[in-house]
Amino acid sequence: MSKFESEIYFQSQALRELIDSDAPVRAAEGLRERNVPAVLTVARGSSGNAVTFFRYLLGRYLGIPAAAVEPSLLTVYDAPFKAAGFAALAVSQSGRSEDVRITFEKLAGTAALSLSVTNDEASPMAGIADVHLFQGVGKEEAVAATKTFTSQMMLLALVVAHWSGDEELLEALRAVPGAMQQLLGEQEEINAASLRLAHAKQLYVLGRGLSLAAAQEAALKLKETTYKGTQAYSSAEFQHGPFAALDRRSPVILMGLSDATRSSNEQLLTRLTEIGADVTVVSADRDLLEMGRTRVPLPGGLHPATEAFLHVLVGQLMSLHLTSTLGLDPDQPRNLKKVTTTV
């Protein structure tokens, strides 16, 4: 078993242990006490995708915006950023990415509250933060992130659940480990969908709302492990310029949720069907699934936040199955290393 596969399977256990962590509760209390009106975020790669999930949850459950700060504004241009009154959030698996650290340090200096999410309690970003949310999932051996990504998603989602006081969201997060374990035992359709992508050079992964982060992460995993030209888009944004690039051979993966995004995704699937695109639908919604040429059904009756974690897992498993089909080593993607340092 590759390290990549082992870490995929470890996730349900890791997330179960995080659910009752006290750090998200402390973070939520600090944010509530300071009446924070917005959150400034800094992250890269998979961590940036975890922040996308947080941004949608934060807006959906609290009506509070989160804005991504481009590190180069502070590390290259030395812009005088004003974070007074806002919260500053840094997310980094290693906690040592240099441009993320520098940016976070400058934001934290004036922010009302600073939060960091890392997998290393001794990292610089852990030391800078007023509240550090420790992932605690053990060292990740594979270069492509799996358990560190979903643990970031979980911790950030728990902050929103406790900040908003939404018990339904909290229960949805408690359901994630069991739902992931169930899906790990039902991989036949995932494997079949992966095989259809073996000869693709270019493909698109689409999501909307709470599934956009999953689409972004699935595209990144496919790039990292199979070297395919994979692009992620909001399913709404995709219908603007990118739609022109499609033809009858174009593989498209839609991460569809059973929530308010369903209607717009159904309209998109109608358009994709009309041009004959090779569409794979990953969803618990039976009507959406019926519109796909290939289908990956998810367990029904789940909260959209729970479903989003399953979409991430499907993307990871598709990458795993494809690397096996293509004879690639998912633990050592070419040209990459575990910690990337840029300024």
Side-chain angles (χ1 to χ4, degrees), residues 23-59:
V25 177
R26 288 188 288 109
E29 288 172 349
L31 291 160
R32 195 182 304 113
E33 288 171 2
R34 290 162 178 79
N35 197 26
V36 168
V39 181
L40 300 179
T41 69
V42 55
R44 289 218 184 268
S46 286
S47 299
N49 296 337
V51 169
T52 296
F53 185 58
F54 170 74
R55 188 174 73 243
Y56 272 97
L57 285 174
L58 190 62

Side-chain angles (χ1 to χ4, degrees), residues 172 175 179 182 258 284 298-307 310:
Q182 179 182 345
S258 308
L298 301 179
L302 297 176
H303 189 283
T306 313
E307 282 187 77
L310 298 187

Side-chain angles (χ1 to χ4, degrees), residues 23-24 27-28 31 54 115 133 154-164:
L31 291 160
F54 170 74
L115 312 171
L133 295 101
M154 178 60 77
L155 285 168
L156 291 170
L158 286 167
V159 170
V160 174
H162 289 297
W163 189 1
S164 64

Side-chain angles (χ1 to χ4, degrees), residues 13 48 58 60-61 134 138 148 150 192 217 227 229 231 241 259 308 322:
Q13 176 186 335
L58 190 62
R60 167 70 178 81
Y61 289 94
F134 178 46
T148 54
T150 51
E217 183 63 12
Y227 317 138
Q231 299 181 56
D259 68 357
L322 257 180

